Amino acid sequence: MYYFKLTVENSAIANVTTKLTPFVSNTNLKVDDLKMTTICQSFLTDTECSCQSDFRWSDRVCQESSVEKCCSNKNCTFTNKPAGMCVSNEAVAISGSISLNGQEHYKCLKEKDSEEFQQCNNEMLHRMKTVYSTLAGFDTLTISKYRVGSVIVDFEIIFAYKVKQQDLFERSKNLSRTLSTSVGLETTGVVHLTMPPKSPVCYYDKPNLTCTAQEDLKSLPVWQLKRGDKVYQIFNGTESAVTIATMETTVTLRNISELWEGEYTCVYHQTSDLIKITHKASAVMNISLLPKIDITMAPAFPRCTKESDLLNVRVKCEMESNNEIYNVTWEGQNIFAGPFKVADDVYAADVIVDCNQISKPQLTCTLKNRCKEERNVSAFVNVIYENDPFCAADGDWKDTKPGFSAVLKCTNTIGQRERKCNPVGPTWEPEVSTCVKQEVNNVLQKANIVNIGLGSLVENTADVFFLFESVTNNSETINTFADMNASVQVLYSLSTRIQSINSESTADHFLESSSNMLEKSLNESWTTQADKDTISLAERYLDSIENLIQLTNLTRAPKKKNIEVDVSNFPQGSKWLSTVFNNSVELVSSDPGSVKTAGFKELENYLPNKDETYEPNSFIVSVTTERKQLDSVKVKIDFSLIIPRPRNVELKCVSWDNNTRSWSSEGCEWQLASHVCICTHLSSFAVLMSKYPVKIRGLNELSLVGLSVSVVSLILTLVIELTVWSAVVKTNTLYVRHTAHVNICLSLLIADCCFLASFKPSDANKEMWCRIFVLLKHFCYLSMFFWMLCLSSMLLHQAIFLFDNVSKKKYLRFSLVLGYVCPLLIAVITFLSYNNGAEGVYYSSETCWLHYAGLMKGSIHTFVIPIGAIAFFNVFSMVVVIIKLLDHPKNTEKCNENEKKAAVTVMRSVILLTPIFGVTWIFGFAVMLLDLTSGTIVAIVHYTFTLLNTFQGLFILLTTCLADKLIRDALLKCLKKNAPASTTDSVTKLDSTWTK
């Protein structure tokens, strides 16, 4: 079979067989399928040709032609050169490559004029033509070049008309077997691409692109768009709809933008072992765009003065940069020049403002594209007239009219700066900046178009997160509110556009970038500049992250610095357990599916907190399940607190409520005196801690009343002691008792006065006064107990040594050392040991008393341990003395009997004072150990301790003073000097000589 391309006169067509005889040796020549492709008419130097129906100009003619009309099937004029020939619309062009193995083919890499090359090239042509020339319509086969990579042969084949693809596939398989190599082919003409009839495509059009195949290629097509150096695959998306079939496929664009301008290609792939055939058709689509327009004025607010009647204002119409050519017009009052181009994509007009005519001129900038589609924007010239108030220029900000905002473009960033002139005053308000760094803006733009259909949604998502991680790795890139706002918008945009994240690398990039945003150094970037009614960055961030985590198919989640995610797919019994940042989570539910727990650092500081008495004290823990709607759920979280909970301070278990946009304790319960929260719903959880300790109602008032009563009672006791001293102190033992009694009262009086003074110390010197009062109270309370120790030790001494008389001087020296020196040493050493009395270490500023930090921790133990030891010694002493008194011989001398009675009196004081102080401080120990948040019983203990402690002075007055008959009689005697002497012989009976 032979294929001829003939240029003949019209009259010679009938004898075409005779004309071909000299060229063909076969005498049985038969010409069939004769088709006329091109009709030409010659003139002097020109030849005008036109293509017949179903024919078109070849790509070569179209490329060589200097005018567009020589493409497609339009008439074409050829000047001073041979006329071209039209080709069938079904003509097929094939470009291919073959990879050859074996040293015998290396000759094809020699110089083209060498004999080895000629021999190798001719042999290769022969082999290839032997295979492909048997196909109907075969025209030419040329080898374009040989390349290194083994030996790669690049070639081109032209078929004059339609070629059956199955035949082409079979021939290629034969060639592959013959040469033992792989064959790759790319065809044009097998697939036809029909573009929109109108070019350029108008902005408001919804163009359809259709791709049809000559035959069923048994494979599904792929759509591609090449823009610049990048090729995008086209999928179904928000802006594109793709229908796919083996014979025909279409793309419909719902929305036109510059993103959709470029070269479209429809591709079918046929592959089998060593054969790969790509069928493609390409065409370029131009779009007539309509950009966004922005009007600016210079000056923005022209100001009239006494010296000016007319002002010149230049109004600029700025548009997005693109390759479209626009027709720009201005409409408005007093335009005397324009429009004229002042820069690329900037058109200006000059306007005259009459200061004597109060008006508000309006100007409109209108632009038309090649499709005559219009877009316009209007603006008023806001004039500051002579007597109008205004915000005076301040730095970059020029004079501005009240109620309006001055606007400046950002420098080297994207966005603008605004500053409003408040009508009150008028005064400038703080600047609001939306300046976003170029790197962040690029990520945001990519996130916004991730699902329009231009590129795979999965690949686009992976690209955005990869780029986002590289941007956020440098915290300086997102160190402003505008940058952080754009970054949060990236996460929000992706969370509303994607369906899933199945790639581990994409999930890793997502978590890393999200963690980078929570760096502690970026806390100021989260500060909102928006209205309180708008959603804060932290709210949008949390909502976006929760959605993205829910969409992420995680088998294992890498731990990040500021975000940890734990996935629990398999329950332990009926419980799902997980841990994030040392916060243990236990979820109980019937088949919730996969349970994901996420922990966030720093985010608790950014979410709005409407309860001013509580502040966050834990990381936020979010719990989500695969099945969002659950019949019942129980979430138990053992929180790891950021700051250890002080005693008597309440915690509140809360969850984030998206409806009220605040923390809510509804459905959550705090397990008292622990860090455990139990909630009955899914959400993001946290612990809020009260800023102030729990206050028991009336306790301060009761303390003030009790201390006041005690102070008065102690003063009365001291007055009585001084009044009756000479009348009652008749023995050494009574001297011991009353001396100790006076010092105990004096120490307690000073301590109570310090407590009264420390209720509200001066704010200016609160720290200093608290430190002084704590030191004094510590010393005085210890001194009070040590004087009790003096009493009990003296009793014990006399009981063991048969009530031997002790000299007054010895006792006084011993008592002063034990009663004052020992407490003073303990108090001073404690003060110095605890960081020289530092707040929070030595004392608590809330109570102005020694600090308790836990069992055997804190300065309070330097008080608790001594008084505990003294109380134990007092009890021991009383037991020994009582035993001795009961076992004493009956023939004891009278003087010893008198001393014995005096000792009983002293012992009675010890017996009375020990419960007064001992029982009081037993409750004090309980107050120290128990937590006010533990329940009602703790409040009862506090009330009991307050009653016992604050009324100690009254108890001493009643029990050891007025209840003593000896003191009562002496006091009555002093009060009733004229009354008859008391018949009581108790004083006389206790007389004894003093040991000097």
Side-chain angles (χ1 to χ4, degrees), residues 935-952:
T936 308
I937 188 66
V938 181
I940 295 173
V941 171
H942 272 261
Y943 279 119
T944 304
F945 170 68
T946 301
L947 284 169
L948 292 175
N949 190 43
T950 57
F951 285 95
Q952 281 180 348

Side-chain angles (χ1 to χ4, degrees), residues 196-264:
K198 187 167 52 176
S199 183
V201 175
C202 296
Y203 184 75
Y204 293 111
D205 288 350
K206 296 181 179 179
N208 287 312
L209 291 76
T210 304
C211 191
T212 56
Q214 292 179 350
E215 58 186 277
D216 191 346
L217 299 173
K218 308 298 182 183
S219 66
L220 295 176
V222 174
W223 282 94
Q224 295 175 338
L225 171 61
K226 182 179 181 182
R227 197 174 69 246
D229 296 330
K230 193 164 184 180
V231 177
Y232 302 90
Q233 195 168 338
I234 302 174
F235 296 89
N236 280 306
T238 57
E239 296 185 359
S240 63
V242 181
T243 60
I244 294 178
T246 55
M247 290 289 290
E248 182 176 289
T249 177
T250 61
V251 170
T252 302
L253 300 181
R254 303 188 186 98
N255 185 46
I256 291 292
S257 69
E258 62 181 340
L259 296 174
W260 294 103
E261 192 171 48
E263 181 182 11
Y264 286 80

